[in-house]
Structure formats: C-alpha cells, structure tokens
Amino acid sequence: QVQLVESGGGLVQPGGSLRLSCAASGRMFSINAMEWYRQAPGNQREWVASITSGGNTNYADSVKGRFIISLDRAKNTVYLQMDSLKPEDTAVYYCKGGITYPANGRSYIYWGQGTQVTVSS
C-alpha cells in the first residue's frame, strides 16, 4: 500500500508564493504519473496539473504560467510551486498518484489527504 502525504499549505497574501509537496511512501512501487487537484468550498474537485514519470507536464488554463509541477523520482515526491497566487486559488489541494507494483504489474490510483491553501489579505 502506497501512502501520499501532502505538506506546504498555508495562508498567503495575494501575489505571494507557496510550494506544496506530496511524498509517496511504501514498498516496491514505481510512479507512472502524479497530479494535483484542488477543491474550493461548494465546488467540485478540479484538476490543476500533472506530470509523467518521463517529465511531461500539463496545466489547467487557470494556473498556466503561474504554477510549476515537478517530480523528484529519487525521493518519490511531487512538488507544486505556486506563484502569483490569487484569492481564487484558495482551496484544499490534493495529490493523486498513478502507481505500479513491478512485482505483479498491477496499477492503482492513490490520493493524499489534502492540504489547505488560503490566499487572502
């Protein structure tokens, strides 16, 4: 069983920056892709960004040019660097991992518990 643990959320003023981390832990697994989602109160969870094990990235239009997703494969950790934050970025941010167990070739999806990001003056 793989566990995903997010960290790095908090309160920041508009125009500020935060860096979220999501560390995957467990035994004998490989990462296929990692994604960040967010959910604001009263809204559905929305996709923010994704990165494959090969380093290919994609972003939602709402964050393109402000957020950067990266993956440290040695640490099994995905990061989300968030710059020029806006009040509308306020949400709980979740990471989602596509994981394969080489021992049996099976793949699974895991979610972290979420970390709160609040952008307010």
Side-chain angles (χ1 to χ4, degrees), residues 31-52:
I31 292 174
N32 303 322
M34 297 291 287
E35 299 176 279
W36 286 98
Y37 284 73
R38 66 186 181 186
Q39 187 168 18
N43 291 354
Q44 291 188 333
R45 191 171 296 189
E46 65 173 356
W47 171 77
V48 174
S50 63
I51 185 167
T52 68

Side-chain angles (χ1 to χ4, degrees), residues 10-16 18 85-90 117-121:
L11 173 64
V12 64
Q13 292 187 342
L18 281 176
L85 283 161
K86 305 174 181 180
E88 51 264 43
D89 294 318
T90 296
V117 171
T118 302
V119 184
S120 175
S121 55

Side-chain angles (χ1 to χ4, degrees), residues 6-121:
E6 299 106 332
S7 60
L11 173 64
V12 64
Q13 292 187 342
S17 298
L18 281 176
R19 188 194 194 204
L20 305 183
S21 300
C22 173
S25 63
R27 297 184 62 185
M28 304 293 288
F29 66 93
S30 63
I31 292 174
N32 303 322
M34 297 291 287
E35 299 176 279
W36 286 98
Y37 284 73
R38 66 186 181 186
Q39 187 168 18
N43 291 354
Q44 291 188 333
R45 191 171 296 189
E46 65 173 356
W47 171 77
V48 174
S50 63
I51 185 167
T52 68
S53 60
N56 294 319
T57 59
N58 281 288
Y59 299 92
D61 287 343
S62 59
V63 307
K64 201 171 293 184
R66 300 187 298 120
F67 291 10
I68 297 176
I69 188 171
S70 59
L71 176 63
D72 186 332
R73 296 183 65 183
K75 295 182 179 180
N76 289 323
T77 299
V78 63
Y79 302 96
L80 187 67
Q81 177 66 42
M82 306 186 295
D83 298 323
S84 302
L85 283 161
K86 305 174 181 180
E88 51 264 43
D89 294 318
T90 296
V92 177
Y93 284 70
Y94 298 89
C95 69
K96 173 186 172 184
I99 304 295
T100 294
Y101 293 98
N104 59 20
R106 293 180 179 177
S107 297
Y108 299 87
I109 298 294
Y110 296 96
W111 288 87
Q113 82 288 352
T115 185
Q116 176 70 47
V117 171
T118 302
V119 184
S120 175
S121 55

